[in-house]
Amino acid sequence: MSVRFRIPPHVASEMLGEETVLLDTTSGDFFALNVTGTRAWQLLRDGADLPTIAARLRLEFEVPEAEVTADLDALFAELGRRGLLEREE
Amino acid sequence: MPLARFFGCLVRSNLELWPDHSAPAAVESTSEPAIEILTMTDPDPPPIALDPMPRVRFRPDVATIDWDGIGRCRVVDGARVEGWRTAGGDGGRWASLLRAIALPVALAQRGRILLHGSSIRIRGATVSILGASRMGKSTVAAALAQRGHTLISDGLTVLERLPGDRTPVKGFLAWPGPASYRLWPDAIEHFGGEPARYPAAVSGLDKRAVPALGIATGPSRLERVYVLAHGDTERVESLSTVAATIALTQHAFLADYVTAEARDRLLGDAAEVGGLLSVARLERRQRLEHLAGLLDCVEVDVSAPSTGRDQRLG
């Protein structure tokens, strides 16, 4: 079963060149994404599931699968912990 | 009813909004005001939320502002402010609500970007100095003006987008505000004045409205933004676009007042400004004896060539 995440309505984002700023509009907290995080966020916003995002990043950034998976797991866990991302069951 | 020009907009109000010295210049005009403020006598305001400070529910068409115990406003299409004062509420705070929040909300509805800071023209370059309360925005602006630079506005910076040929926005015009500073008594004494001579700028605070001797007569293009911060010395440190956008969102004029739903708009505005202009952290020691060094620091930085984001990002 594919794992999907969704961006909660209280999260605003702005892409700035290759980086992105996320704002939790409820708490006023900010979070910045680097270039790969930004690409993952874009794909997520377009509705891609986790395996699709991992595959695209592997292709576009020429990074080994294990590394992409670990980085994405860590990023999405951090975003989830901060309330910037929700897992869809 | 008297007309006044407020950040480039003609305003008519049926209530005296500004304390002595700080009023925008009254103007005579045959044209219709851009913004009209009407304090309603109809005792039928919508219910007031229990907020300890003004709370703005911002929408581009109709915004509402509640301040528990003071009153409620509705701002419509950037053109009309309707206000209901709470019976027995503080009249000074009521006027503050109208001039310092409702009018800026109307300007935001008209597409202006509002920043919490002062703006000043230094050797031909217009800069904004932002910062949290008590960081010294007004003091720095007044001290720079004392050195012969031209005040644009104090406490609130109002920006109008300049449309570009190939891009949606190529820059921002900073509009002149009322010709006055809002200074704490220690700053007034630092400049050789007597605080007691000046009226309260905000009801309930010891800040005073001090007239500015000169002010810009028209808008000018904003070139740089400084964000005041505590430091061990006086220095300027350039911010990345991401850091600039975060700082500008934090120092949006309405950041402390708007409800969560409107904060994405503040982030969008900040990204526009931070993406185009040089934004720097301006560190300072807080004591007034270090003020001259801070001003030197700004004057030197302004004289250096600008590295606007538009050039950096191509």
Side-chain angles (χ1 to χ4, degrees):
Chain A
M1 192 176 73
S2 68
V3 180
R4 279 186 186 276
F5 291 85
R6 68 182 185 93
I7 301 166
H10 65 268
V11 177
S13 64
E14 276 292 329
M15 224 179 117
L16 307 158
E18 294 183 327
E19 297 172 290
T20 296
V21 173
L22 308 182
L23 168 63
D24 181 332
T25 59
T26 308
S27 67
D29 291 339
F30 295 91
F31 193 83
L33 298 174
N34 64 11
V35 58
T36 45
T38 292
R39 187 68 184 118
W41 187 262
Q42 274 181 317
L43 292 164
L44 184 76
R45 218 171 39 183
D46 293 344
D49 60 13
L50 189 55
T52 307
I53 295 171
R56 290 291 292 271
L57 292 185
R58 205 165 58 233
L59 195 70
E60 292 176 17
F61 293 93
E62 298 178 358
V63 184
E65 183 174 358
E67 196 176 317
V68 167
T69 305
D71 285 353
L72 271 181
D73 283 347
L75 175 65
F76 283 17
E78 178 68 11
L79 292 174
R81 196 179 62 75
R82 291 172 180 264
L84 299 169
L85 208 55
E86 290 171 352
R87 190 179 175 126
E88 282 185 348
E89 297 303 333
Chain B
M1 288 189 281
L3 285 167
R5 199 170 291 283
F6 184 72
F7 290 94
C9 277
L10 212 52
V11 176
R12 181 164 58 198
S13 170
N14 66 350
L15 178 73
E16 185 56 62
L17 295 182
W18 284 275
D20 293 345
H21 302 306
S22 69
V27 294
E28 287 185 21
S29 172
T30 54
S31 58
E32 281 298 300
I35 304 173
E36 185 142 30
I37 298 181
L38 291 171
T39 305
M40 316 301 264
T41 51
D42 174 7
D44 187 25
I48 292 173
L50 294 175
D51 288 325
M53 59 189 291
R55 184 58 51 199
V56 178
R57 288 166 182 84
F58 185 87
R59 287 204 338 237
D61 51 354
V62 180
T64 57
I65 309 165
D66 292 325
W67 197 357
D68 185 35
I70 305 299
R72 181 171 215 240
C73 294
R74 185 163 57 197
V75 188
V76 183
D77 294 331
R80 184 178 168 91
V81 176
E82 299 163 352
W84 293 268
R85 182 178 164 188
T86 302
D90 182 311
R93 288 191 176 194
W94 173 238
S96 291
L97 177 65
L98 293 171
R99 72 167 181 267
I101 300 181
L103 269 181
V105 165
L107 292 173
Q109 285 179 327
R110 299 173 80 86
R112 304 293 193 261
I113 295 173
L114 313 180
L115 298 173
H116 186 205
S118 306
S119 291
I120 193 153
R121 194 153 59 233
I122 301 172
R123 296 173 185 150
T126 296
V127 305
S128 287
I129 297 167
L130 314 183
S133 293
R134 296 233 68 154
M135 278 305 299
K137 302 175 292 293
S138 301
T139 304
V140 172
L144 283 165
Q146 208 174 42
R147 287 192 176 190
H149 306 302
T150 307
L151 178 72
I152 308 273
S153 64
D154 179 47
L156 167 62
T157 288
V158 174
L159 302 179
E160 178 184 355
R161 293 171 175 86
L162 278 168
D165 299 328
R166 286 170 295 169
T167 53
V169 177
K170 68 174 180 185
F172 305 93
L173 284 180
W175 278 88
S180 72
Y181 302 100
R182 302 194 322 166
L183 294 173
W184 295 101
D186 59 342
I188 295 173
E189 284 168 359
H190 176 79
F191 294 123
E194 295 172 33
R197 284 184 51 206
Y198 303 103
V202 183
S203 181
L205 283 182
D206 204 16
K207 260 190 160 181
R208 304 282 163 163
V210 179
L213 296 179
I215 189 160
T217 53
S220 57
R221 188 168 173 163
L222 182 64
E223 297 201 9
R224 294 175 194 226
V225 178
Y226 297 102
V227 183
L228 285 168
H230 293 292
D232 298 329
T233 187
E234 286 61 50
R235 70 185 191 108
V236 174
E237 182 188 348
S238 185
L239 295 179
S240 68
T241 306
V242 167
T245 298
I246 291 173
L248 289 164
T249 308
Q250 289 170 326
H251 295 292
F253 185 75
L254 295 173
D256 290 340
Y257 305 119
V258 291
T259 50
E261 310 85 73
R263 290 204 176 122
D264 61 341
R265 180 191 172 97
L266 303 184
L267 176 64
D269 288 350
E272 270 191 75
V273 177
L276 277 177
L277 301 184
S278 290
V279 182
R281 178 181 162 93
L282 178 58
E283 290 187 8
R284 67 168 300 194
R285 286 170 288 184
Q286 207 59 26
R287 292 171 66 96
L288 286 167
E289 68 199 59
H290 303 298
L291 186 58
L294 182 70
L295 306 186
D296 293 344
C297 198
V298 172
E299 287 177 331
V300 167
D301 190 70
V302 166
S303 302
S306 170
T307 54
R309 309 277 189 211
D310 47 346
Q311 296 161 31
R312 218 186 69 174
L313 296 178

